[in-house]
Amino acid sequence: MEKKAMTRAILDAKKNKGMRWDAIAEQIGMAPVWTASLALGESSATEEIAQKLCAVLDLGDDVADALMVCPLKGQWMEKTVPTDPMIYRFYEIMSVYGTSVKEVVHEEFGDGIMSAIDFTLDVEREPNPSGDRVKIVMSGKFLPYVRW
Amino acid sequence: MEKKAMTRAILDAKKNKGMRWDAIAEQIGMAPVWTASLALGESSATEEIAQKLCAVLDLGDDVADALMVCPLKGQWMEKTVPTDPMIYRFYEIMSVYGTSVKEVVHEEFGDGIMSAIDFTLDVEREPNPSGDRVKIVMSGKFLPYVRW
Amino acid sequence: MEKKAMTRAILDAKKNKGMRWDAIAEQIGMAPVWTASLALGESSATEEIAQKLCAVLDLGDDVADALMVCPLKGQWMEKTVPTDPMIYRFYEIMSVYGTSVKEVVHEEFGDGIMSAIDFTLDVEREPNPSGDRVKIVMSGKFLPYVRW
Amino acid sequence: MEKKAMTRAILDAKKNKGMRWDAIAEQIGMAPVWTASLALGESSATEEIAQKLCAVLDLGDDVADALMVCPLKGQWMEKTVPTDPMIYRFYEIMSVYGTSVKEVVHEEFGDGIMSAIDFTLDVEREPNPSGDRVKIVMSGKFLPYVRW
Amino acid sequence: MEKKAMTRAILDAKKNKGMRWDAIAEQIGMAPVWTASLALGESSATEEIAQKLCAVLDLGDDVADALMVCPLKGQWMEKTVPTDPMIYRFYEIMSVYGTSVKEVVHEEFGDGIMSAIDFTLDVEREPNPSGDRVKIVMSGKFLPYVRW
Amino acid sequence: MEKKAMTRAILDAKKNKGMRWDAIAEQIGMAPVWTASLALGESSATEEIAQKLCAVLDLGDDVADALMVCPLKGQWMEKTVPTDPMIYRFYEIMSVYGTSVKEVVHEEFGDGIMSAIDFTLDVEREPNPSGDRVKIVMSGKFLPYVRW
Amino acid sequence: MEKKAMTRAILDAKKNKGMRWDAIAEQIGMAPVWTASLALGESSATEEIAQKLCAVLDLGDDVADALMVCPLKGQWMEKTVPTDPMIYRFYEIMSVYGTSVKEVVHEEFGDGIMSAIDFTLDVEREPNPSGDRVKIVMSGKFLPYVRW
Amino acid sequence: MEKKAMTRAILDAKKNKGMRWDAIAEQIGMAPVWTASLALGESSATEEIAQKLCAVLDLGDDVADALMVCPLKGQWMEKTVPTDPMIYRFYEIMSVYGTSVKEVVHEEFGDGIMSAIDFTLDVEREPNPSGDRVKIVMSGKFLPYVRW
Amino acid sequence: MEKKAMTRAILDAKKNKGMRWDAIAEQIGMAPVWTASLALGESSATEEIAQKLCAVLDLGDDVADALMVCPLKGQWMEKTVPTDPMIYRFYEIMSVYGTSVKEVVHEEFGDGIMSAIDFTLDVEREPNPSGDRVKIVMSGKFLPYVRW
Amino acid sequence: MEKKAMTRAILDAKKNKGMRWDAIAEQIGMAPVWTASLALGESSATEEIAQKLCAVLDLGDDVADALMVCPLKGQWMEKTVPTDPMIYRFYEIMSVYGTSVKEVVHEEFGDGIMSAIDFTLDVEREPNPSGDRVKIVMSGKFLPYVRW
C-alpha cells in the first residue's frame, strides 16, 4: 500500500469515528501534530505505534505496514513557494524574520543550526480577549558546526 | 540613507560597543529577535524606538530616519529556496510538518490562518543534558476566513 | 468525496438548473464571488451554508461534507505566473501598481498589511457609454505589524 | 536621468517638504496611487503633469524629462513571487479568488478580461469599530475577446 | 464534456472528413487561426458558431456546449519557456525584438499597449523564389494607459 | 565600448536631435524596428550602416565599432516571463494562440518553423474609428525540417 | 493514436524483431538518429517513410498515421535542466563552450546562427586505443540575420 | 586579476592586432574554439600556453596568471534557458534530439555517457551551393557506467 | 515492463522474502547502494546480473528485461531542489562545501573533475560512542580537461 | 570587512606565499577542505584558529574578525542547479544515487538523516594504474527522527 492510499484510509476512518487528532494522539501516546504528520505520510512509525494507531481506527495490517515505511518527504509541495495561505505564513516568517533568528541564535549558541530532525513542534490555543492566538512551540537540538 | 547602509552602521556600532542583541533589546524595551529584525531592515520603528536605539548606539538622525521607513521585506532572499542551513531548516519544517500543522489548526480553530503580522517570535536556550536546545515560540492571532 | 469531484458535481447541477452564481448566492445568503470560490474548492462552508447550497442544487450529503473541508488553497496554480489572461491581469496590476499601493497604505495606516483573510471581494458591472467596466471592490482589515 | 535617480530625487523632495502622496496628488490633479506610481517609475506623465509635479516639489527639468519616459514596468520584481507581505497579499488574492472572479466576470460579461490599462485603482480608509479597513476599488474596462 | 475531450473529438472528426482548418473556418465564417484556437480550447464560441461547427463536423451537443465554455487559457504550457521550436520562435522574437517594438509603439502612440484581446492574427503563405515565407499579421487595438 | 554605453549614447543623441526612430531609419535606409533593435544592442550593423548611423547622430568611431559587434541577445530579460505589459502581450499571444498558429502553419507548409532569423518585423498604425490599432507584420522564411 | 502509444508500439516491435536502430534506419533509407527521433515522437515522417517503417516492423495504419503528425516537440523535458547524465552533457557543453562557439561562428560567418531545422546529426564510434570515443557530427545551414 | 578583466584585456588586444581566433590559435598551437574558451574564461591554460598567448598579444604576467586559474565555469549563464539565438540552438537540439542520441549511443556502447571533459569540439565551414553550413564535430570519450 | 513497475515488483519481492539490500547485493556479487540503484531504476544491469537478481527474488523475465534497459535517470526529481531531508543534505553539502572541494581537487589534480560515471559510492556505519555515524565513501576517476 | 574582501585577501596572500591548502591547513591544525571553506567564507573560525591563519599568511585583525563571523552560507550559488562541471557532479550524484543511499541508510539506521553539520569531508588522491581517482570521504552523525 502506497502512502497516499494509507492517508486516504486513515482520514476516512478518522471521519467515521468522529475523532480529532488530539484524541487519536492521546490514544497512541504521541503529540497531535506528529500524529497528523504520520497519517499524512510525512513521518514513519515504530511497529508498536503503527499497530496502536490501526487498533484505534480499526485498520488493517497493510496500513500498519505503510505507516512504518520511511517516506520521501515533502512530495506534496509541487511549487517551491506554497500557495496555501496557512502554510505560506511559514514561508513569510522565514523570509521576514529568518535572518534575525539566525543572528540571535548564532550570538547565543555560536555557528550551527537548530535541528529539524531532533525536533518537536506543538500547537496550542492561547486564549486572548482580543482574539485567541495560535501558539507554536518548536524545540530543536542546537547542532554546532564541526570544525575538522 | 538606504536600509542597507543603516544596517551596516548599526552592526558596526554594535560591534564597537561589544553589545549583544539582548542587551540592546533590553535598553529599548523590545525583544531580541524583533530588535535584530529592525536592525536588519525587515521591521520599522516608531519614532520613540528609533531614537532610543540611536541613543544606545550613538548613531545619528539619518539612521533614526531610516529605521522608521516601512521596508520592502524579504529582499535578502535572492533564491526561492534559501541555501543557508540555519534558515533552510524553516523551509524544511514547512515542507515536512506544514500540512500537519494545517490539519491541527483547522480542527481546533476552523478555516483560517495564524497571522504573521499580529505575531511575535522569541528564541530561548533550553538547557538539556544531551545538548542544549533552541526553543522557538511563535504566537500569532488566529484569523478566521471571512465568509461574505 | 474530493474537492475536485465536488466542484464537478456543483458545476453540472448549476448548468442543469440554469442558475447563475448571483442567483445561487442569493439563495444561500452569500456573495457571488465567495459562492463561486466555495464551489471551486477555494473556500469552506459552515454546515448551514453547505446544506443550503446542496438544497438549492439538489445535491447529496457527500457534497455537503466536502464543502465543509478546509481546502489546500491555490492548487489550481501550476505555474507561479498564471497564463490565463483574465487572471494574469491581477498579476500585472500587482507588478505595475503593487509598490504604489504599498506607499499609499503605509502612509495612511503605518507599517502593516491589508488582510487577505478578514477580506471581502465583490465584482460589479459599471455601466459606461464607452464600454461597461468591471468594478472590483476589495475590503480587508488593516493589520498593523506588532512590535514586540 | 534614469528612472531610479528620478525616484530618489522625488522621494527626497517629498520628505523635505513633508508632503503626503494625497497632498501632492491634489496639487497635480491626479489620484494618490497613480501619483505614487509615477514617482516610483511605473507610470509616465504628460508634459503638463510632469511640470506640475516638478513645480510642486521644486525639481528640475531632468526630473520632468524622466517622468515623461515610458518605463519598462515591473523591474522592481526580482522574483516571480514577491516576498513583501503587503504586496504578496495581492498574489494570494489572485491565487485564492482568481478562478472565482473569472467565473463571475465571464457569466456577467462573457469571454474577455478586465483591462489593466484602461484601469484605475483607488485606496481608501474604511472606518470600522473592530479595526479600520483598507478598501481598494479597481475599475477596468471590460474587453470582450474578438472572434475573427 | 471537458475541453480536452472536445479537442480530441474535433481533431478526429476533422481527420475523418479530411478537412483543413481553412475549409472549416470558411464554413463557419471565421478565420483559420481563430477556428483552430477554438478547437484547441483556447477560445470560446457563441452559440451560433458552436452549432455551425458541430454541423460541419457532425458532432453532438456536448461538443457544442464545451465550445461555449470560457477556457482557462494557456494550460498546455507546462514550462514557462516552451520547447517546441515552432512556438519557441515567438518567445525568441519577443526576447530579441520586444524592446524595439516597445520603443517604436510608444513613440508612435504614447504610453500603452497593443491589446491581445481586441486582437486578430492571420497566417498567410508569402510566395518567394528563394523559399516561401510565413507571413503573420497581428492587429490589436492600441490601449493608452489611463492616468487618473 | 560596451553595448550598454553605446545604447545610452545613441538614445541621448537621438533626444538631443529630436529625431524619431522612423526618421533615423529613413536616413540609414533601414526599417524603424530594426533600427531601434540595433540601437538597443539586439542587432549588429555592417560597417556601412554603422557609419551612416553615427553620421546622422554625430557619434564617434567607438559607437560605430560597438554597433558592428554581434551581441549576446536577450540579456535585458532578467525573468523568463517579462513583467512589462507591452512586451508581455507577446508572451500572452504565444500562450493563447501559439498552438493554433502551429496547427495552421503545419497544415499549410508541413513540419518546420517560421524563421526568426531570416525574418522581418514591421509596426504600422492602422487608423480605426473605434480607436487606432497597432498592426504588426512578421515575415519569416519557412524552414522545413530536414529528414536525413 | 497518440505519439506516446506509437512510441511504445515501435519500441516493442523493435525489441521483438531484435533490430537495432541502424538496421531499421537502413531499411527505410534514413539515418539512425533521425529514425530514433521519429520513433520517439520528436520528428514526423512523410507518408512513404511512415509506411516503410510500419512494413519493416509489421505495424498497422494507426502507427503510420501517428508518425505523420507534426509533434509538439520537447515534451519529455519536464525540467529546464535535464537530470539524465547522457543528455545533461549537452547542456554542459552549451554552458562551457557555448560562448566560444558563438565567437568563432560569428567571426567566420558574421551575425547569424547555425540552423537546428535545416540540420543533421550523426553519431559514430571512433575507435581509440585509450577508449573508444563518441563522435557527433552536426551540420546546420548558416542563417545570416536579415537586416531590414 | 579576475577572469572578467582578463577577458576584456584579451579581446581588446585581439582587436588592436586585428587577429582572428584561428590565427591566435595557430600561434599557440591549439584549436580555435578552445582558444576562445580560454580567452572567455571557461578553460584554463598550462603555464606554457599562457605565456605563448600573452606573447602573441603583448599582454603582461597578470593576464598569464589569470589564464592558469581553474575557472568557475558557466557563470555567464544567468538564466537556465539561454536567450541568445545562436546559443539557444544547442538547447533546442538537446530538447529535440537528446533522447534519440541517447538511444543510439546506448545501443552502440551500452550504458554510459559521452564525456564532456575528455572532449574536443571543432567548428568548420562546410561549403554548400544552397548556402554554406556550420559543421560542428564533437568527440568525447565514451565512459561506461561502473557497476560496483 | 516499465521501470516503475519493475521497481514495485522488486520492492514487493524483497519485502516478502524479508531480505535487506546488503543480503541481496551479496547474492548477486555487487554493492548494496548500486543494487538499490538498480532496483530503483537508476542503473542498468548486464544480462548476468539481471538474471541473478531475478533468481534471488523469484521474479520473471520481464523484470530481467526491464533491468537491462538504460534508464532516463533522475526522473524522480520533480523539483530542482529536493525536499526530502535525507536527500537534501547532499544539496546542502554541495552548497556549503562545493567550492572548497573544487579548490582542493584543482590544487591536487589540476583542472578537471571527479567522474560521476567511473564512480563508486559506499555507505558504512561508523560506530561512535556519542552516536553512530554514516560514512559515505565516493571514489571517482579524476578526468583532466583535455586542451585541444 | 565583508566576507568577499576577506576571501580576496586570503587568496592573494596564499598565492604570494606559494602555499597549498594542505600546507596552510597543517599549520593551523585543521583539514584542507575545511580550511578552504573557511577562506571562501562558508565556515567560521574560533578566535584561536582565526589568529593562527592570519599569522601564517601575515594578515591583519580585520581578516581575523571577518573569519569569526557566522556566514550566510551558499551565497555563491546564483542558480539552483550549478553550471560548474566539478560542482555539478555532486548534483548529479544526488540525482542518480540519492534515492539509493536513502534506502540503504534507512534500512541500516531507521528513519533519519546523515547530519551535514556534525559532519566532516576529506578529499584524497587514490593512486590507480588506469588513472588516479578522487576519493571523498564524508562522515556525518546519524540523526534519528524524533517521534514526539
Side-chain angles (χ1 to χ4, degrees):
Chain A
M1 183 181 247
E2 302 283 336
K3 290 273 181 191
K4 268 205 174 167
M6 174 199 84
T7 296
R8 189 72 266 147
I10 294 175
L11 292 181
D12 288 350
K14 172 177 177 294
K15 178 154 196 292
N16 291 340
K17 300 250 171 203
M19 294 181 80
R20 280 168 54 112
W21 290 112
D22 46 16
I24 299 172
E26 196 178 22
Q27 295 275 330
I28 66 170
M30 307 301 292
V33 170
W34 186 82
T35 304
S37 78
L38 177 64
L40 297 177
E42 294 292 332
S43 293
S44 65
T46 58
E47 191 167 359
E48 191 195 339
I49 293 174
Q51 286 180 346
K52 270 192 200 160
L53 183 67
C54 290
V56 170
L57 294 173
D58 284 328
L59 293 163
D61 278 358
D62 50 347
V63 172
D65 278 358
L67 285 166
M68 288 184 280
V69 173
C70 296
L72 195 67
K73 296 168 205 243
Q75 290 300 90
W76 68 273
M77 271 190 65
E78 294 166 352
K79 285 162 286 197
T80 54
V81 183
T83 47
D84 183 75
M86 170 75 218
I87 297 177
Y88 177 78
R89 292 312 180 269
F90 289 97
Y91 189 84
E92 185 169 311
I93 290 166
M94 175 183 78
S95 155
V96 175
Y97 299 112
T99 50
S100 314
V101 171
K102 182 177 163 74
E103 277 285 322
V104 169
V105 168
H106 288 336
E107 193 162 83
E108 175 66 26
F109 293 90
D111 203 357
I113 66 159
M114 175 184 75
S115 180
I117 310 294
D118 186 339
F119 173 83
T120 63
L121 188 163
D122 293 295
V123 172
E124 296 165 34
R125 175 189 282 269
E126 207 176 34
N128 189 302
S130 59
D132 285 3
R133 301 177 74 83
V134 181
K135 184 177 172 186
I136 291 183
V137 180
M138 300 175 174
S139 165
K141 190 178 179 180
F142 178 73
L143 303 178
Y145 261 100
V146 164
R147 300 183 175 100
W148 75 94
Chain B
M1 183 181 247
E2 301 283 334
K3 290 275 183 191
K4 267 202 175 170
M6 173 198 85
T7 296
R8 189 72 268 148
I10 295 176
L11 291 181
D12 287 350
K14 172 177 178 295
K15 181 155 192 294
N16 291 340
K17 301 249 172 205
M19 293 183 79
R20 281 169 53 114
W21 291 111
D22 44 17
I24 298 172
E26 200 180 20
Q27 296 275 331
I28 66 171
M30 306 301 291
V33 169
W34 186 82
T35 304
S37 79
L38 176 64
L40 297 176
E42 295 291 334
S43 293
S44 64
T46 57
E47 191 168 0
E48 189 195 341
I49 293 175
Q51 287 179 344
K52 270 193 200 161
L53 183 65
C54 290
V56 170
L57 294 173
D58 283 329
L59 293 163
D61 277 359
D62 51 346
V63 172
D65 278 358
L67 285 166
M68 286 184 282
V69 172
C70 297
L72 195 66
K73 297 167 202 244
Q75 289 300 88
W76 67 274
M77 273 191 64
E78 294 167 353
K79 286 162 284 197
T80 53
V81 183
T83 46
D84 182 75
M86 171 74 218
I87 297 177
Y88 177 78
R89 292 313 181 268
F90 288 96
Y91 190 84
E92 185 168 313
I93 290 165
M94 175 183 79
S95 156
V96 175
Y97 298 112
T99 50
S100 312
V101 170
K102 184 177 162 74
E103 277 284 323
V104 169
V105 168
H106 288 335
E107 195 162 82
E108 177 65 25
F109 293 89
D111 204 356
I113 65 157
M114 174 184 75
S115 179
I117 310 295
D118 187 339
F119 173 82
T120 63
L121 188 162
D122 293 295
V123 172
E124 298 165 33
R125 176 188 283 268
E126 206 178 35
N128 188 301
S130 60
D132 284 4
R133 301 176 74 82
V134 181
K135 184 175 172 186
I136 290 181
V137 180
M138 299 173 175
S139 165
K141 190 177 178 182
F142 178 74
L143 304 178
Y145 260 100
V146 164
R147 299 180 175 101
W148 74 94
Chain C
M1 183 182 247
E2 302 282 336
K3 290 273 182 191
K4 268 202 173 169
M6 174 199 86
T7 296
R8 190 71 268 148
I10 294 175
L11 292 181
D12 287 349
K14 172 177 178 294
K15 179 155 196 291
N16 291 340
K17 302 247 170 205
M19 294 182 79
R20 280 169 55 111
W21 290 113
D22 45 16
I24 299 172
E26 197 178 22
Q27 296 275 330
I28 66 171
M30 307 300 291
V33 170
W34 187 82
T35 305
S37 79
L38 177 64
L40 297 177
E42 294 292 333
S43 293
S44 64
T46 58
E47 191 167 1
E48 191 195 340
I49 293 174
Q51 286 179 348
K52 271 193 199 160
L53 183 67
C54 290
V56 170
L57 295 172
D58 285 328
L59 292 163
D61 278 358
D62 50 347
V63 172
D65 279 357
L67 286 166
M68 287 184 281
V69 172
C70 296
L72 194 65
K73 295 168 204 243
Q75 289 302 89
W76 68 273
M77 272 190 65
E78 294 166 353
K79 285 161 285 197
T80 53
V81 183
T83 47
D84 183 76
M86 171 74 218
I87 296 176
Y88 177 79
R89 292 311 181 271
F90 289 97
Y91 189 84
E92 186 169 311
I93 291 165
M94 175 183 78
S95 155
V96 175
Y97 298 113
T99 50
S100 313
V101 172
K102 182 177 164 73
E103 276 285 323
V104 170
V105 168
H106 288 335
E107 193 162 81
E108 176 66 26
F109 293 89
D111 203 356
I113 65 159
M114 174 184 75
S115 180
I117 309 294
D118 187 337
F119 173 84
T120 65
L121 188 162
D122 293 295
V123 172
E124 296 165 35
R125 175 189 282 270
E126 206 177 34
N128 189 301
S130 60
D132 286 3
R133 301 177 74 81
V134 182
K135 183 176 172 187
I136 291 182
V137 180
M138 300 174 176
S139 164
K141 189 178 180 181
F142 179 73
L143 304 179
Y145 261 100
V146 165
R147 300 183 174 99
W148 75 94
Chain D
M1 183 181 247
E2 302 283 334
K3 291 275 183 190
K4 267 202 174 170
M6 174 198 85
T7 297
R8 189 71 269 147
I10 295 176
L11 293 181
D12 287 349
K14 172 176 179 295
K15 180 154 194 293
N16 292 340
K17 302 249 171 205
M19 294 182 80
R20 281 170 53 114
W21 291 112
D22 45 16
I24 300 172
E26 201 180 20
Q27 296 275 331
I28 66 170
M30 306 302 291
V33 169
W34 186 82
T35 304
S37 79
L38 176 64
L40 297 177
E42 295 292 333
S43 293
S44 63
T46 58
E47 191 168 358
E48 190 195 340
I49 293 174
Q51 286 178 345
K52 270 193 201 159
L53 184 65
C54 290
V56 170
L57 294 173
D58 284 327
L59 292 164
D61 278 358
D62 51 346
V63 172
D65 279 357
L67 284 166
M68 286 185 281
V69 173
C70 297
L72 194 67
K73 297 167 202 245
Q75 290 300 90
W76 67 274
M77 272 190 65
E78 294 166 352
K79 285 162 283 196
T80 53
V81 183
T83 46
D84 182 76
M86 170 74 219
I87 297 177
Y88 177 79
R89 292 312 180 270
F90 288 96
Y91 190 85
E92 185 169 312
I93 290 165
M94 175 184 79
S95 156
V96 175
Y97 297 113
T99 50
S100 313
V101 171
K102 183 176 163 75
E103 277 285 323
V104 170
V105 168
H106 288 335
E107 195 163 83
E108 177 64 26
F109 293 88
D111 204 356
I113 65 158
M114 174 184 74
S115 180
I117 310 294
D118 188 337
F119 173 82
T120 64
L121 188 161
D122 293 295
V123 172
E124 297 164 34
R125 175 188 283 270
E126 207 177 34
N128 189 301
S130 60
D132 285 4
R133 301 177 74 82
V134 181
K135 184 177 174 185
I136 290 181
V137 180
M138 300 174 175
S139 165
K141 190 177 180 182
F142 179 73
L143 303 178
Y145 261 101
V146 165
R147 301 182 174 99
W148 75 92
Chain E
M1 183 181 247
E2 301 283 336
K3 290 273 182 192
K4 268 203 173 167
M6 174 200 84
T7 296
R8 190 71 268 148
I10 294 175
L11 292 180
D12 287 349
K14 172 176 179 293
K15 181 156 194 292
N16 291 341
K17 301 250 171 202
M19 293 182 80
R20 279 168 55 112
W21 291 112
D22 45 17
I24 299 173
E26 198 178 21
Q27 296 274 330
I28 65 171
M30 306 302 290
V33 169
W34 186 82
T35 306
S37 79
L38 177 64
L40 297 178
E42 294 291 334
S43 293
S44 64
T46 57
E47 190 167 3
E48 191 194 341
I49 293 174
Q51 285 179 347
K52 271 194 200 160
L53 183 67
C54 290
V56 171
L57 294 173
D58 284 328
L59 291 163
D61 278 359
D62 50 346
V63 172
D65 279 358
L67 286 166
M68 287 184 281
V69 173
C70 296
L72 195 66
K73 295 167 204 245
Q75 289 301 89
W76 67 274
M77 272 191 65
E78 293 167 354
K79 284 161 286 197
T80 53
V81 183
T83 47
D84 183 76
M86 171 74 218
I87 297 176
Y88 177 78
R89 291 312 180 271
F90 289 96
Y91 189 85
E92 186 169 311
I93 290 165
M94 175 183 78
S95 155
V96 175
Y97 298 113
T99 49
S100 313
V101 171
K102 182 177 164 74
E103 277 284 323
V104 170
V105 168
H106 288 335
E107 194 162 82
E108 176 65 26
F109 293 89
D111 203 356
I113 65 157
M114 174 183 75
S115 180
I117 309 294
D118 187 337
F119 173 84
T120 64
L121 188 162
D122 293 295
V123 172
E124 297 165 34
R125 174 189 283 269
E126 205 178 34
N128 189 301
S130 61
D132 285 4
R133 300 177 75 80
V134 182
K135 184 175 172 187
I136 291 181
V137 180
M138 299 174 176
S139 165
K141 189 177 180 182
F142 179 73
L143 305 179
Y145 260 100
V146 165
R147 300 184 175 98
W148 75 95
Chain F
M1 183 181 247
E2 302 283 334
K3 291 273 183 192
K4 269 202 173 169
M6 175 199 85
T7 296
R8 189 72 268 146
I10 295 175
L11 292 180
D12 287 350
K14 172 177 179 293
K15 180 154 195 293
N16 291 339
K17 302 249 171 205
M19 295 182 78
R20 280 169 53 113
W21 290 113
D22 44 17
I24 299 172
E26 200 179 20
Q27 296 275 331
I28 65 170
M30 307 301 292
V33 169
W34 186 81
T35 304
S37 78
L38 177 64
L40 297 177
E42 295 291 333
S43 293
S44 64
T46 57
E47 192 167 358
E48 190 195 341
I49 293 174
Q51 287 178 346
K52 270 193 200 160
L53 184 66
C54 290
V56 170
L57 295 172
D58 284 328
L59 292 164
D61 278 357
D62 51 347
V63 171
D65 279 356
L67 285 166
M68 287 184 279
V69 172
C70 297
L72 194 67
K73 296 167 203 245
Q75 289 301 89
W76 68 273
M77 273 189 65
E78 294 167 353
K79 286 163 283 195
T80 54
V81 183
T83 46
D84 182 75
M86 171 74 219
I87 297 177
Y88 177 79
R89 292 311 181 270
F90 289 96
Y91 189 86
E92 185 169 312
I93 290 166
M94 176 183 78
S95 156
V96 175
Y97 298 112
T99 50
S100 312
V101 171
K102 182 177 163 74
E103 276 284 322
V104 170
V105 169
H106 288 335
E107 194 163 82
E108 177 64 26
F109 292 89
D111 203 356
I113 65 158
M114 175 184 74
S115 181
I117 310 294
D118 187 339
F119 172 84
T120 64
L121 188 162
D122 293 296
V123 172
E124 297 164 34
R125 175 188 282 269
E126 208 178 34
N128 190 300
S130 60
D132 286 4
R133 300 176 75 80
V134 181
K135 184 176 173 187
I136 290 181
V137 180
M138 299 174 176
S139 165
K141 190 177 179 183
F142 179 73
L143 303 179
Y145 261 101
V146 165
R147 299 182 176 101
W148 75 92
Chain G
M1 183 182 247
E2 301 283 335
K3 290 273 182 192
K4 267 204 174 168
M6 175 199 84
T7 296
R8 190 70 269 149
I10 295 175
L11 292 181
D12 287 350
K14 172 176 178 294
K15 180 155 194 290
N16 291 340
K17 301 249 171 203
M19 293 182 79
R20 281 169 53 113
W21 290 113
D22 46 17
I24 298 172
E26 198 179 22
Q27 296 274 330
I28 65 171
M30 306 302 289
V33 169
W34 186 82
T35 305
S37 80
L38 176 65
L40 297 178
E42 294 292 334
S43 293
S44 65
T46 58
E47 190 167 3
E48 190 194 341
I49 292 174
Q51 287 179 345
K52 270 193 200 160
L53 183 67
C54 290
V56 170
L57 294 173
D58 285 328
L59 292 163
D61 277 358
D62 50 347
V63 172
D65 279 358
L67 285 166
M68 286 184 283
V69 172
C70 296
L72 195 67
K73 295 167 205 246
Q75 290 300 89
W76 68 272
M77 271 191 65
E78 294 166 353
K79 284 161 285 199
T80 54
V81 183
T83 47
D84 183 78
M86 171 74 219
I87 297 175
Y88 177 79
R89 291 314 180 268
F90 288 97
Y91 189 85
E92 186 169 311
I93 290 165
M94 176 183 78
S95 154
V96 176
Y97 299 113
T99 49
S100 313
V101 170
K102 182 177 164 74
E103 277 283 323
V104 170
V105 168
H106 287 335
E107 194 164 82
E108 176 65 27
F109 293 90
D111 203 356
I113 65 156
M114 175 184 75
S115 180
I117 310 295
D118 187 338
F119 173 83
T120 64
L121 187 162
D122 294 295
V123 172
E124 298 165 34
R125 175 189 283 270
E126 207 177 34
N128 188 301
S130 60
D132 285 5
R133 300 177 75 81
V134 180
K135 185 177 172 186
I136 291 182
V137 180
M138 300 174 174
S139 165
K141 190 178 179 180
F142 179 74
L143 304 179
Y145 260 100
V146 165
R147 299 183 175 99
W148 75 94
Chain H
M1 184 182 248
E2 300 284 335
K3 291 274 182 190
K4 269 202 172 167
M6 175 199 84
T7 296
R8 191 71 268 148
I10 294 176
L11 292 180
D12 287 351
K14 173 177 178 294
K15 179 153 193 295
N16 291 340
K17 302 248 170 204
M19 294 181 79
R20 280 169 52 111
W21 290 113
D22 43 18
I24 298 173
E26 199 179 20
Q27 296 275 331
I28 65 170
M30 307 301 291
V33 170
W34 186 81
T35 304
S37 78
L38 176 64
L40 298 177
E42 294 292 333
S43 293
S44 64
T46 58
E47 192 169 358
E48 190 195 340
I49 293 174
Q51 287 179 345
K52 271 193 200 161
L53 184 66
C54 289
V56 170
L57 294 172
D58 285 328
L59 293 163
D61 278 359
D62 51 347
V63 172
D65 279 358
L67 286 166
M68 287 185 280
V69 172
C70 296
L72 194 66
K73 297 168 203 244
Q75 289 301 88
W76 68 274
M77 274 189 66
E78 292 166 354
K79 286 162 283 197
T80 55
V81 183
T83 46
D84 182 76
M86 171 75 217
I87 297 177
Y88 177 79
R89 292 310 181 270
F90 288 96
Y91 190 84
E92 185 168 313
I93 290 165
M94 175 183 79
S95 157
V96 175
Y97 298 113
T99 51
S100 312
V101 171
K102 183 177 163 73
E103 276 284 323
V104 170
V105 168
H106 287 335
E107 194 163 83
E108 176 65 26
F109 293 89
D111 203 356
I113 66 158
M114 175 184 74
S115 180
I117 310 293
D118 187 339
F119 172 83
T120 65
L121 188 163
D122 293 296
V123 172
E124 297 165 33
R125 176 188 282 269
E126 208 177 34
N128 189 301
S130 59
D132 285 3
R133 300 176 75 81
V134 181
K135 185 176 172 186
I136 290 182
V137 180
M138 298 174 176
S139 166
K141 190 176 179 181
F142 179 74
L143 303 179
Y145 261 101
V146 164
R147 299 182 176 100
W148 74 93
Chain I
M1 183 183 249
E2 302 283 336
K3 290 274 181 191
K4 267 205 175 167
M6 175 199 84
T7 295
R8 190 72 267 148
I10 294 175
L11 292 181
D12 287 349
K14 172 176 178 294
K15 179 153 195 293
N16 291 339
K17 301 249 170 204
M19 293 182 79
R20 281 169 53 113
W21 291 113
D22 46 16
I24 299 172
E26 198 178 21
Q27 295 274 331
I28 65 170
M30 307 302 290
V33 169
W34 186 82
T35 304
S37 79
L38 177 65
L40 297 178
E42 293 292 332
S43 293
S44 65
T46 58
E47 190 167 2
E48 190 195 340
I49 293 174
Q51 287 180 345
K52 269 193 201 161
L53 183 67
C54 290
V56 170
L57 294 174
D58 285 328
L59 293 164
D61 277 359
D62 50 346
V63 172
D65 279 357
L67 285 167
M68 287 184 281
V69 172
C70 296
L72 196 66
K73 296 167 205 246
Q75 289 301 88
W76 68 273
M77 271 190 65
E78 294 165 353
K79 284 161 286 197
T80 53
V81 183
T83 47
D84 183 76
M86 171 75 218
I87 296 177
Y88 177 79
R89 292 313 180 268
F90 289 97
Y91 189 85
E92 185 169 312
I93 290 166
M94 175 183 77
S95 155
V96 176
Y97 298 113
T99 49
S100 313
V101 170
K102 182 177 163 73
E103 277 285 321
V104 170
V105 168
H106 288 337
E107 193 163 84
E108 176 66 26
F109 293 90
D111 203 357
I113 65 156
M114 176 184 75
S115 179
I117 310 295
D118 187 338
F119 173 82
T120 63
L121 187 162
D122 293 295
V123 172
E124 296 165 35
R125 176 189 282 268
E126 208 177 33
N128 188 301
S130 60
D132 285 4
R133 300 177 76 83
V134 181
K135 185 177 172 186
I136 290 182
V137 180
M138 301 174 173
S139 165
K141 190 178 179 179
F142 179 73
L143 303 178
Y145 260 100
V146 165
R147 300 183 174 99
W148 74 93
Chain J
M1 184 181 248
E2 301 283 334
K3 290 274 184 191
K4 267 202 174 169
M6 174 198 84
T7 296
R8 189 71 269 148
I10 295 176
L11 291 181
D12 288 349
K14 173 178 178 294
K15 180 154 193 293
N16 291 340
K17 302 249 171 203
M19 293 182 80
R20 281 168 53 111
W21 291 112
D22 44 17
I24 299 172
E26 200 179 19
Q27 296 274 330
I28 65 170
M30 307 301 290
V33 170
W34 186 82
T35 305
S37 78
L38 176 65
L40 298 176
E42 294 291 334
S43 293
S44 64
T46 58
E47 191 169 0
E48 190 195 340
I49 293 175
Q51 287 179 345
K52 270 193 199 160
L53 183 66
C54 289
V56 170
L57 295 172
D58 284 329
L59 293 163
D61 277 359
D62 51 346
V63 173
D65 279 357
L67 286 167
M68 286 184 282
V69 172
C70 297
L72 195 66
K73 297 167 202 244
Q75 289 300 89
W76 67 274
M77 274 191 65
E78 293 166 354
K79 285 162 284 198
T80 55
V81 183
T83 47
D84 182 76
M86 171 74 217
I87 297 177
Y88 177 78
R89 292 312 180 268
F90 289 97
Y91 189 84
E92 185 169 313
I93 290 166
M94 175 183 79
S95 157
V96 175
Y97 298 114
T99 51
S100 312
V101 170
K102 184 177 161 74
E103 277 284 323
V104 169
V105 167
H106 287 335
E107 193 163 85
E108 176 65 25
F109 293 89
D111 204 355
I113 65 158
M114 174 184 75
S115 180
I117 309 294
D118 187 338
F119 173 82
T120 65
L121 188 163
D122 294 295
V123 172
E124 298 166 33
R125 175 188 282 269
E126 207 177 35
N128 189 301
S130 59
D132 285 4
R133 300 177 75 82
V134 181
K135 185 176 172 186
I136 290 181
V137 180
M138 298 173 176
S139 165
K141 190 176 179 182
F142 178 73
L143 304 179
Y145 260 101
V146 164
R147 299 181 176 100
W148 74 93

